[in-house]
C-alpha cells in the first residue's frame, strides 16, 4: 500500500512524457524520450520494466484507501510540516482515487484498478513504438519472446530482453479483463507475436474462459467501437488457424448462455455458439456498416473451422442456411438494380456503376458460404445431420446458383447431397415427422459413398498484419490512453493523431 501511489505516478509520468505523439498527425520515429527509452542506460532495464508492467496487469490490485498512518505525528507536536505533508498526500489521493472523473468532460466511475489499467496502457505504448533506423524496438522484443516460469529449457542466447513469467496467472487475467479494449489488444499482441504464449493458450483445456468474453464482444457489436470488434475477430481468426482448437470447441458443452438473447440456448457446444455469433456479426455488417474487411475476417474464421464442424446445433445449422438465404435475396435485388441501371445508361458512359461492384462483393461472399457448407459436407457429413436437414428444408434456395458460372463447380457436391437425401426421403413415404426425417438422414449419411463427393482444396486462411501496422496501432493505442487513462487529461483541440470520434 505504501508504494502503490508512487508506482502509479511513475507509470503515469512515462505516459505523459510519451504523449507528444498525440499532438502530431504523423507517426513519430524519434524524440528525446524515445531516444532515452530505446538506448543507453534504460536499455538494460527493458525486460524488468515489461515484466513489472505485466505483473501489475496480472495482479489487478485495487487502489488502497488513503494511507493516513504513514504520516502519523510523534506525540502532540505534529507541527506545520506534518500538516503540509499529509495535506499533499491526501491531495494526491483525491486526484488518484477519482479515477480521472471529469477528465474527459463526462462523469466517469472511479477506476478501482488504476495501477493495473495504467500499466497496461504504458505496456501497449512501449510495445508499439516504431523500430529505430538500425535497432529494433527492445520492448516489442521483450513482449514477443518471454517464456513461462514452468519452462525449464535454457533461454536462447539470440533472444535479447527475454524473461520468464507465470503463464497461468497471465491467462487468468486476460480471461477476466476482456471487456476493455486494451486487454483485448494485449491478448491480440500476445497471440499474434509471442509463439510461447500462443502455444500455451491453445493447449489449455478451459479455452471457453477465453473464447466466451471474445464472443460477447462480438455479440454486442452495436455497443463496441469498430477497433474493438476487429481485434476480437482477428483473435478468433488466429485461434481457428489451429485444427486442434477447431476440434476441441465442439467438445465443450455450455449451459444457458445468459447474454445470448435471440433464443434460449439451454445446451450448446462452444463451436456452435461461435458459428452463431460470427454469422450474427456478418448479418449486422450487411445491414449496417457494410465493411468488406469485417466480412472477410468472419468468413475466414468460419472457413478455417468448416472441415472440423461436429454435431452442429440445430439452430446453428439453420442460421448457416438462413444467412445463405439472406445473401441470395440480396444478390437478386442487386442483380435487378444492375439490370435496370444498365438499361438506363447512355452509350458513352463506360464507368462501372456501384451495382456492378456490389454484385462482385456479394458473389464473393456467396461463393465463400458455398465453400464452407461444401467443406463441412465433404469432411464430416455423417457428424452433421442438422446441417443436412436444414439444407434439404431450404433446397429451393440453391436452384438459381446451379448453372451460375461462378458457382457451378462447388454446386456439384451440394446437388449430389440434396439429390441423394431427397430420393431417400421420397422412398420413406410422405408426411414424415421431423424425427423420422432425421432418422432417414442419419442412416443415409452412413450409406452415402465418400467418393461421390468431389474433393476441393482444404479451406485455410491465415491472418497477416498489414504493411506498416504502426499506422493503425499507434493511433489506436493513444486513443485508448486518451479515453481511459486514469487521472489524465489532454486538450481535445490539440489532438492531431486521430479524429476525436474514432477513439
Amino acid at each position: 500500500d505504501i508504494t502503490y501511489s508512487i508506482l502509479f505516478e511513475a507509470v503515469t509520468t512515462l505516459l505523459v512524457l510519451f504523449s507528444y505523439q498525440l499532438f502530431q498527425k504523423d507517426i513519430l520515429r524519434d524524440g528525446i524520450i524515445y531516444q532515452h527509452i530505446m538506448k543507453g542506460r534504460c536499455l538494460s532495464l527493458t525486460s524488468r520494466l515489461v515484466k513489472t508492467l505485466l505483473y501489475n496487469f496480472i495482479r489487478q490490485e485495487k487502489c488502497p484507501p488513503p494511507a493516513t498512518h504513514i504520516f502519523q505525528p510523534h506525540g502532540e507536536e505534529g507541527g506545520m510540516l506534518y500538516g503540509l505533508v499529509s495535506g499533499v498526500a491526501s491531495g494526491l489521493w483525491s486526484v488518484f482515487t477519482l479515477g480521472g472523473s471529469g477528465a474527459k468532460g463526462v462523469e466517469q466511475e472511479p477506476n478501482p484498478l488504476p495501477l493495473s489499467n495504467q500499466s497496461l496502457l504504458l505496456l501497449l505504448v512501449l510495445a508499439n513504438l516504431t523500430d529505430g533506423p538500425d535497432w529494433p524496438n527492445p520492448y516489442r522484443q521483450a513482449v514477443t519472446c518471454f517464456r513461462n516460469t514452468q519452462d525449464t529449457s535454457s533461454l536462447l542466447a539470440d533472444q535479447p530482453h527475454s524473461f520468464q513469467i507465470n503463464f497461468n496467472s497471465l491467462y487468468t487475467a486476460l480471461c477476466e479483463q476482456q471487456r476493455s479494449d486494451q486487454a483485448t489488444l494485449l491478448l491480440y499482441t500476445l497471440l499474434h507475436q509471442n509463439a510461447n504464449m500462443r502455444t500455451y493458450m491453445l493447449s489449455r483445456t478451459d479455452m471457453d474462459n477465453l473464447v466466451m468474453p471474445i464472443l460477447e464482444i462480438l455479440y454486442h457489436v452495436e455497443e463496441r467501437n469498430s477497433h474493438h470488434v476487429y481485434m476480437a475477430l482477428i483473435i478468433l481468426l488466429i485461434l481457428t488457424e489451429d485444427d486442434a482448437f477447431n476440434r476441441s470447441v465442439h467438445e465443450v458443452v455450455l449451459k444457458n448462455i445468459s447474454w445470448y438473447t435471440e433464443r434460449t440456448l439451454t445446451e450448446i457446444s462452444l463451436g456452435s455458439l461461435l458459428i452463431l455469433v460470427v454469422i450474427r456479426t456478418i448479418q449486422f455488417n450487411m445491414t449496417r456498416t457494410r465493411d468488406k474487411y469485417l466480412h472477410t475476417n468472419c468468413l475466414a474464421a468460419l472457413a478455417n473451422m468448416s472441415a472440423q464442424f461436429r454435431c452442429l446445433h440445430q439452430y446453428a445449422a439453420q442460421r448457416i442456411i438462413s444467412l445463405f438465404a439472406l445473401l441470395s435475396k440480396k444478390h437478386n435485388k442487386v442483380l435487378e438494380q444492375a439490370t435496370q441501371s444498365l438499361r438506363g445508361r447512355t452509350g458513352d458512359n463506360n464507368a462501372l456503376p456501384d451495382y456492378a461492384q456490389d454484385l462482385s462483393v456479394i458473389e464473393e461472399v456467396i461463393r465463400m458460404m458455398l465453400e464452407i457448407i461444401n467443406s463441412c459436407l465433404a469432411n464430416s457429413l455423417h457428424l452433421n445431420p442438422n446441417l443436412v436437414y436444414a439444407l434439404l428444408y431450404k433446397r429451393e434456395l440453391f436452384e438459381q446458383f446451379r448453372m451460375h458460372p461462378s458457382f457451378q463447380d462447388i454446386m456439384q457436391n451440394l446437388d449430389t447431397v440434396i439429390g441423394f437425401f431427397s430420393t431417400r426421403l421420397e422412398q420413406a413415404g410422405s408426411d414424415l415427422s421431423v424425427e423420422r426425417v432425421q432418422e432417414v438422414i442419419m442412416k443415409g449419411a452412413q450409406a452415402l459413398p465418400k467418393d461421390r463427393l468431389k474433393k476441393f482444396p482444404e479451406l485455410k486462411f491465415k491472418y497477416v498484419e498489414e504493411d506498416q501496422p504502426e499506422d493503425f496501432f499507434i493511433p489506436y493505442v493513444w486513443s485508448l490512453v486518451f479515453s481511459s487513462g486514469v487521472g489524465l487529461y489532454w486538450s481535445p483541440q490539440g489532438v492531431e493523431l486521430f479524429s476525436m470520434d474514432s477513439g
Side-chain angles (χ1 to χ4, degrees):
D1 286 6
I2 292 171
T3 57
Y4 194 101
S5 59
I6 190 88
L7 281 173
F8 174 83
E9 291 303 332
V11 171
T12 303
T13 302
L14 279 173
L15 274 175
V16 172
L17 290 173
F18 275 112
S19 66
Y20 58 86
Q21 173 66 80
L22 272 172
F23 307 100
Q24 307 293 327
K25 203 159 188 57
D26 298 323
I27 304 300
L28 298 176
R29 295 160 199 279
D30 208 343
I32 296 172
I33 303 303
Y34 175 92
Q35 290 287 339
H36 275 297
I37 204 97
M38 288 288 214
K39 300 196 285 192
R41 289 161 62 196
C42 292
L43 196 61
S44 61
L45 297 170
T46 297
S47 57
R48 282 165 68 185
L49 176 56
V50 170
K51 186 175 182 174
T52 302
L53 294 174
L54 272 173
Y55 265 131
N56 288 348
F57 166 70
I58 288 168
R59 287 191 187 111
Q60 303 288 321
E61 280 182 26
K62 286 191 165 63
C63 184
T68 48
H69 64 274
I70 300 170
F71 300 109
Q72 288 298 344
H74 297 293
E76 291 300 308
E77 66 288 340
M80 195 175 120
L81 184 61
Y82 164 69
L84 191 66
V85 171
S86 64
V88 169
S90 61
L92 250 182
W93 275 108
S94 65
V95 169
F96 193 56
T97 49
L98 274 174
S101 68
K104 316 295 178 284
V106 289
E107 277 302 310
Q108 289 181 338
E109 285 292 306
N111 190 314
L113 306 166
L115 180 60
S116 171
N117 180 72
Q118 218 87 320
S119 295
L120 177 52
L121 291 171
L122 178 59
L123 180 63
L124 292 171
V125 166
L126 291 170
N128 285 285
L129 290 171
T130 54
D131 293 333
D134 49 3
W135 67 85
N137 174 352
Y139 302 92
R140 188 181 303 127
Q141 284 182 312
V143 165
T144 58
C145 68
F146 66 77
R147 291 166 175 252
N148 196 354
T149 43
Q150 316 296 309
D151 186 350
T152 52
S153 64
S154 57
L155 294 179
L156 296 177
D158 61 348
Q159 289 188 322
H161 314 297
S162 188
F163 60 90
Q164 288 181 292
I165 199 164
N166 186 314
F167 277 14
N168 182 45
S169 307
L170 181 53
Y171 179 81
T172 305
L174 285 165
C175 291
E176 288 170 355
Q177 295 297 312
Q178 285 309 305
R179 62 187 169 277
S180 81
D181 277 69
Q182 47 268 41
T184 306
L185 183 51
L186 177 64
L187 173 57
Y188 159 79
T189 305
L190 296 178
L191 260 179
H192 178 53
Q193 298 182 5
N194 188 316
N196 306 319
M197 192 70 198
R198 180 169 62 249
T199 304
Y200 174 83
M201 287 191 212
L202 288 165
S203 70
R204 293 284 301 209
T205 53
D206 61 347
M207 273 300 287
D208 49 311
N209 288 340
L210 189 69
V211 176
M212 287 292 277
I214 297 298
L215 294 184
E216 211 174 331
I217 293 166
L218 293 176
Y219 187 79
H220 297 294
V221 60
E222 300 94 335
E223 298 154 30
R224 303 286 178 184
N225 71 63
S226 60
H227 288 5
H228 200 181
V229 172
Y230 280 151
M231 288 297 110
L233 258 182
I234 291 167
I235 286 165
L236 280 188
L237 178 55
I238 293 170
L239 293 172
T240 62
E241 289 170 18
D242 183 74
D243 280 342
F245 170 84
N246 295 332
R247 277 192 299 276
S248 65
V249 286
H250 293 289
E251 290 159 15
V252 178
V253 177
L254 308 162
K255 311 264 188 190
N256 302 316
I257 318 299
S258 57
W259 48 263
Y260 194 96
T261 53
E262 263 114 305
R263 174 171 169 155
T264 308
L265 299 173
T266 48
E267 191 168 288
I268 189 169
S269 72
L270 179 60
S272 287
L273 182 66
L274 202 159
I275 292 163
L276 283 175
V277 172
V278 171
I279 284 176
R280 187 178 180 277
T281 310
I282 295 172
Q283 288 181 318
F284 172 80
N285 188 41
M286 279 169 67
T287 53
R288 308 281 178 87
T289 48
R290 297 173 67 191
D291 180 331
K292 193 180 171 188
Y293 185 75
L294 203 74
H295 268 345
T296 307
N297 282 305
C298 285
L299 290 164
L302 287 179
N304 282 348
M305 293 175 71
S306 58
Q308 311 282 346
F309 284 172
R310 297 283 184 274
C311 308
L312 288 186
H313 189 279
Q314 177 191 355
Y315 186 49
Q318 282 171 17
R319 298 309 293 159
I320 290 171
I321 303 302
S322 57
L323 173 60
F324 191 82
L326 187 69
L327 289 165
S328 169
K329 197 171 165 186
K330 207 169 172 65
H331 181 263
N332 292 343
K333 192 178 170 186
V334 174
L335 205 53
E336 197 181 311
Q337 288 171 328
T339 311
Q340 285 172 356
S341 164
L342 283 168
R343 281 196 198 116
R345 280 171 76 196
T346 52
D348 58 345
N349 181 6
N350 291 323
L352 263 182
D354 288 345
Y355 299 128
Q357 213 173 346
D358 284 354
L359 198 61
S360 102
V361 169
I362 204 139
E363 286 186 353
E364 253 177 71
V365 177
I366 287 174
R367 169 87 197 180
M368 192 78 159
M369 279 306 295
L370 286 171
E371 287 183 348
I372 288 165
I373 295 167
N374 175 64
S375 168
C376 175
L377 296 176
N379 289 284
S380 52
L381 179 140
H382 61 294
L383 294 170
N384 289 293
N386 284 332
L387 185 64
V388 176
Y389 183 93
L391 195 63
L392 292 170
Y393 190 68
K394 293 280 189 184
R395 69 192 93 172
E396 73 287 346
L397 270 178
F398 299 89
E399 291 288 329
Q400 69 187 87
F401 300 110
R402 184 175 288 143
M403 303 312 292
H404 193 295
S406 303
F407 312 121
Q408 241 173 339
D409 59 335
I410 205 91
M411 278 302 301
Q412 283 177 23
N413 280 353
L414 271 74
D415 271 347
T416 303
V417 171
I418 291 169
F420 176 82
F421 284 98
S422 298
T423 307
R424 289 204 148 228
L425 288 170
E426 279 164 26
Q427 290 166 353
S430 55
D431 293 333
L432 302 176
S433 66
V434 172
E435 291 75 17
R436 179 73 184 112
V437 171
Q438 285 175 328
E439 194 185 314
V440 172
I441 289 170
M442 296 283 274
K443 283 187 178 160
Q446 304 299 330
L448 177 66
K450 284 271 169 71
D451 56 8
R452 288 273 300 276
L453 298 180
K454 185 181 164 197
K455 281 278 175 224
F456 282 86
E458 195 182 354
L459 294 177
K460 272 292 166 207
F461 292 87
K462 198 169 170 54
Y463 169 70
V464 179
E465 235 175 34
E466 301 278 329
D467 291 339
Q468 295 187 298
E470 63 272 18
D471 292 347
F472 170 83
F473 285 103
I474 291 178
Y476 181 30
V477 168
W478 277 105
S479 73
L480 297 178
V481 177
F482 182 86
S483 61
S484 49
V486 179
L488 285 169
Y489 176 81
W490 290 276
S491 170
Q493 286 76 27
V495 173
E496 293 278 334
L497 183 62
F498 51 84
S499 62
M500 291 311 295
D501 56 357
S502 71

